[in-house]
């Protein structure tokens, strides 16, 4: 770790200590865990997809944390997006073929990716508020498809009024292997099973991702203040970056089947039963297998194995 970064993480550790003192003071003055949950829009243990969700507008999720929100726009869709754009309404259904790359970039939304039969990738929606039915978009250019939100600020404002989160279900045929998939959920939630893709990028802001039975060549995971649970097989390189959140990764095979490039600040990295923490320098463990490149700030990354 470079000297500048070491100083940075030492400062972070000091601030974390100050934060603990302030938290204790806050509890003494009447702050509650319920209020904290509202800020982070997640439950104390695991996300319950059937329960109502509470989160507080314009507290933690300001534009500077999740990208600058677009202002209200009156331009036609074709002037905003290149390619073919289609608005996604409530109870929407679309079946698309010939898709080689899928990019989902949304927030305040439950994204559920399922394995299916057939030839087409199917998109289904539920509980999309009427006032933002034209804000969730499917944009296709060639064989690349992007799911995005046209106006982040308007979308967030509508989602804050919901008792249960809006949902987007994506059904991908079992025999359809995508070239690449990018899943960015911001302050939302992600459920996925049986993902088969050459390259997978997962980005979680303050939300939660749960991915099971993964089969990819290369994996990249980036978590800010949220949590990601991932299990499956990565045959190539796995890159994990964690800020103040948590990443749990269950890898195929055994600990000795992989090589590691580790960098940790004030957080902790667990590789099997081994722990790496305490503002340590970068550490490389070369076993000759696929590389896991892991960088942890003040959060926690845990890697376990199925053998």
């Amino acid at each position: 770790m470079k000297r500048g970064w070491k100083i940075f993480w030492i400062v972070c550790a000091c601030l974390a200590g100050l934060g603990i003192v302030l938290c204790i003071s806050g509890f003494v003055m009447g702050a509650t865990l319920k209020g904290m949950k509202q800020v982070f829009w997640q439950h104390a243990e695991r996300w319950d997809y059937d329960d109502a969700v509470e989160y507080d507008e314009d507290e933690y999720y300001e534009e500077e944390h999740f990208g600058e929100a677009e202002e209200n726009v009156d331009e036609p869709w074709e002037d905003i997006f290149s390619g073919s754009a289609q608005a996604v309404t409530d109870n929407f259904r679309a079946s698309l073929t010939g898709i080689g790359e899928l990019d989902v970039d949304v927030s305040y939304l439950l994204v559920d990716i399922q394995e299916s039969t057939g030839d087409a990738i199917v998109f289904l929606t539920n509980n999309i508020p009427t006032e933002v039915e034209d804000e969730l978009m499917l944009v296709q250019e060639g064989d690349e498809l992007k799911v995005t939100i046209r106006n982040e600020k308007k979308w967030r404002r509508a989602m804050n009024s919901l008792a249960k989160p809006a949902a987007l279900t994506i059904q991908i045929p079992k025999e359809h292997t995508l070239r690449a998939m990018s899943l960015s959920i911001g302050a939302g939630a992600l459920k996925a099973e049986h993902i088969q893709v050459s390259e997978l990028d997962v980005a979680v802001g303050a939300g939660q991702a749960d991915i099971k039975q993964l089969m990819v060549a290369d994996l990249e995971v980036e978590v800010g203040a949220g949590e990601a649970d991932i299990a499956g097989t990565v045959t190539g390189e796995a890159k994990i970056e964690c800020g103040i959140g948590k990443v749990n990764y269950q890898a195929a095979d055994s600990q000795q089947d992989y090589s590691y490039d580790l960098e940790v600040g004030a957080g902790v990295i667990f590789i099997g039963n081994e722990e790496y923490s305490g503002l340590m320098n970068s550490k490389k463990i070369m076993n000759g297998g696929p590389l896991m490149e892991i960088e942890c700030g003040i959060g926690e990354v845990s890697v376990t194995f199925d053998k």
Side-chain angles (χ1 to χ4, degrees):
M1 184 182 294
K2 295 182 180 179
R3 185 172 181 271
W5 279 109
K6 185 174 294 186
I7 294 173
F8 171 77
W9 290 121
I10 291 173
V11 172
C12 287
C14 294
L15 292 175
L18 178 61
I20 292 174
V21 174
L22 292 175
C23 285
I24 294 174
S25 301
F27 282 120
V28 171
M29 296 175 66
T32 65
L33 288 174
K34 181 178 179 181
M36 295 172 64
K37 291 177 186 177
Q38 290 177 334
V39 172
F40 285 96
W41 191 40
Q42 56 184 336
H43 297 287
E45 297 296 331
R46 297 288 301 166
W47 174 272
D48 189 338
Y49 299 96
D50 296 322
D51 285 351
V53 179
E54 295 181 356
Y55 49 95
D56 196 5
E57 181 179 11
D58 296 329
E59 287 281 339
Y60 185 82
Y61 310 121
E62 295 294 340
E63 285 82 359
E64 58 265 32
H65 293 287
F66 296 102
E68 186 175 351
E70 296 179 0
E71 297 297 331
N72 290 328
V73 289
D74 298 321
E75 296 92 338
W77 297 330
E78 56 268 21
D79 293 341
I80 303 171
F81 301 108
S82 60
S84 174
Q86 180 179 7
V88 177
T89 58
D90 192 27
N91 296 316
F92 173 91
R93 180 184 177 92
S95 300
L96 302 176
T97 59
I99 302 301
E101 185 171 334
L102 178 62
D103 182 357
V104 179
D105 186 1
V106 297
S107 190
Y108 300 95
L109 187 68
L110 166 58
V111 178
D112 188 359
I113 299 179
Q114 305 172 352
E115 185 181 63
S116 66
T117 59
D119 300 323
I121 298 179
V122 178
F123 297 84
L124 307 166
T125 61
N126 183 46
N127 203 36
I128 304 293
T130 304
E131 61 268 31
V132 290
E133 281 193 329
D134 60 345
E135 301 301 338
L136 185 61
M137 307 288 295
L138 293 181
V139 184
Q140 185 172 357
E141 187 168 5
D143 71 343
E144 299 180 8
L145 181 70
K146 183 170 185 176
V147 183
T148 187
I149 297 169
R150 190 168 69 116
N151 189 321
E152 286 273 1
K153 183 176 292 186
K154 183 178 179 181
W155 178 265
R156 184 181 67 233
R157 192 178 301 118
M159 292 301 149
N160 279 333
S161 65
L162 297 180
K164 187 175 182 179
L168 169 67
T169 300
I170 304 175
Q171 298 175 343
I172 302 177
K174 181 177 181 180
E175 304 302 326
H176 188 109
T177 300
L178 294 168
R179 178 176 65 252
M181 182 186 297
S182 177
L183 305 172
S184 178
I185 61 167
L190 170 67
K191 290 174 60 180
E193 291 192 40
H194 301 287
I195 291 183
Q196 297 187 51
V197 64
S198 296
E199 298 179 7
L200 175 63
D201 292 346
V202 178
V204 180
Q208 187 165 13
D210 188 357
I211 302 175
K212 300 177 181 177
Q213 300 183 58
L214 180 71
M215 177 65 73
V216 303
D218 295 309
L219 172 67
E220 184 169 342
V221 179
E222 182 178 352
V223 174
E227 181 174 346
D229 294 319
I230 300 172
T233 300
V234 180
T235 58
E237 182 177 348
K239 183 176 181 180
I240 299 173
E241 295 184 16
C242 182
I244 63 174
K246 185 175 183 180
V247 178
N248 299 310
Y249 172 40
Q250 182 179 16
D253 301 320
S254 66
Q255 182 174 337
Q256 290 70 34
D257 291 321
Y258 297 89
S259 295
Y260 307 91
D261 186 353
L262 310 176
E263 184 170 343
V264 61
V268 58
I269 298 175
F270 295 99
I271 305 293
N273 294 323
E274 299 177 7
E275 178 180 337
Y276 303 90
S277 61
L279 296 172
M280 55 164 274
N281 291 323
S282 300
K283 185 176 183 63
K284 293 185 178 181
I285 305 170
M286 296 299 154
N287 295 326
L291 178 66
M292 288 190 193
E293 184 179 342
I294 303 174
E295 182 178 339
C296 181
I298 58 176
E300 178 181 317
V301 177
S302 178
V303 181
T304 58
F305 304 88
D306 61 12
K307 292 184 181 180

